């Protein structure tokens, strides 16, 4: 009986070690392989009609099971119209904790009109509450969203230690002038609440500075 237990224990231990080594050393090599990326792009195109171009993908998994992903560019096209274009994407994800700790990009472009045309399966609404305290460290140099209803241009978006900074210009048919947000002040994720710290809102010659608590986690669901 003891012999059987020992054999079972060492067999399970060996399987765990093999799984761990495969995850750290083998999985990144498979994902980083250009032929695998090409097959994935072809699969997505055949299933959805959406063309994707992923360039310079490099995945690393540390011995501590932290996944580090770098991608030079991600281009998504629907009917030959660029829907999403991301440059110099970086992600840091703690696999055991299931925690995204860092996100950065030099440029993110989203075409709202094209995005709406993408065929998506309807998913049941997830009622889990959004936990503000899990906001990762964020650095995005430029973000653009364009549609018939609104145009948003934001730059220098950052989130560090729960302090969020951004500069955003919003144009829309309902606005006579450009709405400017965040050229001074900040947003803050404090415990489970949003706090606004002298956050500037400007429309034409009118300036408004918001300060105080904005919302708590019960106001957000996804």
């Amino acid at each position: 009986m003891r012999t059987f237990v020992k054999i079972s224990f060492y067999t399970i231990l060996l399987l765990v070690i093999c799984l761990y080594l495969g995850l750290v050393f083998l999985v990144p090599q498979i994902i980083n392989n250009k032929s695998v990326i090409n097959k994935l792009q072809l699969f997505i195109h055949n299933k959805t009609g959406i063309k994707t171009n992923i360039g310079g993908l490099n995945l690393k998994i540390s011995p501590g099971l932290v996944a580090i992903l770098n991608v030079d560019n991600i281009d998504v096209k629907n009917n030959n119209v660029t829907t999403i274009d991301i440059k110099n994407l970086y992600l840091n994800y703690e696999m055991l904790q299931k925690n995204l700790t860092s996100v950065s990009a030099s440029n993110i472009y989203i075409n709202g009109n094209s995005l709406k045309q993408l065929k998506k399966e309807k998913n049941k609404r997830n009622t889990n509450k959004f936990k503000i305290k899990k906001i990762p460290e964020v650095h995005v140099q430029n973000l653009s969203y364009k549609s018939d209803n609104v145009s948003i241009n934001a730059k220098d978006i950052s989130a560090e230690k729960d302090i969020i900074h951004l500069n955003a210009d919003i144009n829309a048919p309902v606005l006579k002038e450009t709405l400017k947000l965040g050229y001074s002040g900040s947003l803050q994720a404090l415990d489970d609440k949003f706090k606004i710290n002298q956050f500037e809102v400007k429309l034409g010659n009118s300036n408004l500075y918001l300060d105080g608590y904005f919302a708590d986690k019960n106001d957000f669901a996804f």
Side-chain angles (χ1 to χ4, degrees):
M1 183 66 179
R2 290 181 180 178
T3 302
F4 175 77
V5 172
K6 287 183 179 180
I7 294 173
S8 299
F9 172 77
Y10 286 118
T11 301
I12 294 173
L13 180 61
L14 180 62
L15 290 174
V16 171
I17 292 174
C18 290
L19 179 62
Y20 171 79
L21 294 175
L23 187 61
V24 173
F25 297 104
L26 185 60
V27 170
Q29 291 187 27
I30 294 173
I31 294 178
N32 294 337
N33 189 294
K34 184 62 178 177
S35 64
V36 173
I37 296 174
N38 290 337
K39 289 179 181 179
L40 175 61
Q41 293 174 164
L42 182 61
F43 175 80
I44 294 173
H45 183 251
N46 290 337
K47 289 294 183 179
T48 66
I50 300 169
K51 293 182 179 180
T52 59
N53 181 34
I54 303 172
L57 186 148
N58 183 25
L59 173 67
K60 296 180 180 179
I61 299 178
S62 74
L65 297 183
V66 176
I68 301 171
L69 177 67
N70 286 279
V71 187
D72 289 344
N73 65 276
I74 301 175
D75 182 35
V76 179
K77 290 185 178 180
N78 182 33
N79 294 324
N80 292 320
V81 175
T82 297
T83 304
I84 298 173
D85 186 15
I86 302 175
K87 304 293 186 186
N88 301 315
L89 176 66
Y90 168 87
L91 300 175
N92 190 298
Y93 182 78
E94 296 176 343
M95 300 174 69
L96 293 179
Q97 292 79 11
K98 297 180 180 179
N99 184 31
L100 180 63
T101 60
S102 182
V103 180
S104 69
S106 62
N107 188 77
I108 299 175
Y109 169 80
I110 301 172
N111 184 318
N113 295 329
S114 182
L115 192 64
K116 290 179 182 179
Q117 295 175 1
L118 296 179
K119 294 181 179 179
K120 298 179 180 179
E121 294 182 1
K122 292 183 178 181
N123 297 319
K124 293 182 179 179
R125 184 180 178 183
N126 190 331
T127 57
N128 292 330
K129 299 300 180 180
F130 174 67
K131 296 183 179 179
I132 297 173
K133 62 183 179 182
K134 290 188 176 181
I135 290 178
E137 181 177 329
V138 176
H139 296 281
V140 177
Q141 293 179 20
N142 295 285
L143 185 149
S144 298
Y145 177 90
K146 307 290 184 182
S147 74
D148 292 337
N149 298 320
V150 65
S151 173
I152 302 173
N153 290 291
K155 62 180 182 178
D156 299 330
I157 303 169
S158 67
E160 289 187 82
K161 297 181 179 180
D162 297 329
I163 301 293
I164 304 166
H165 293 276
L166 60 87
N167 300 331
D169 294 343
I170 301 176
N171 290 283
V174 296
L175 298 174
K176 294 182 179 180
E177 299 183 70
T178 299
L179 178 65
K180 296 179 178 291
L181 302 177
Y183 278 81
S184 64
S186 65
L187 302 173
Q188 184 177 6
L190 185 63
D191 295 327
D192 290 329
K193 297 179 179 180
F194 264 133
K195 187 175 184 295
I196 300 176
N197 303 308
Q198 291 296 313
F199 189 79
E200 182 182 11
V201 178
K202 182 177 181 179
L203 182 63
N205 295 322
S206 300
N207 289 65
L208 179 65
Y209 294 89
L210 304 177
D211 192 75
Y213 289 99
F214 175 67
D216 60 37
K217 68 178 183 179
N218 294 321
D219 295 313
F220 293 89
F222 64 94

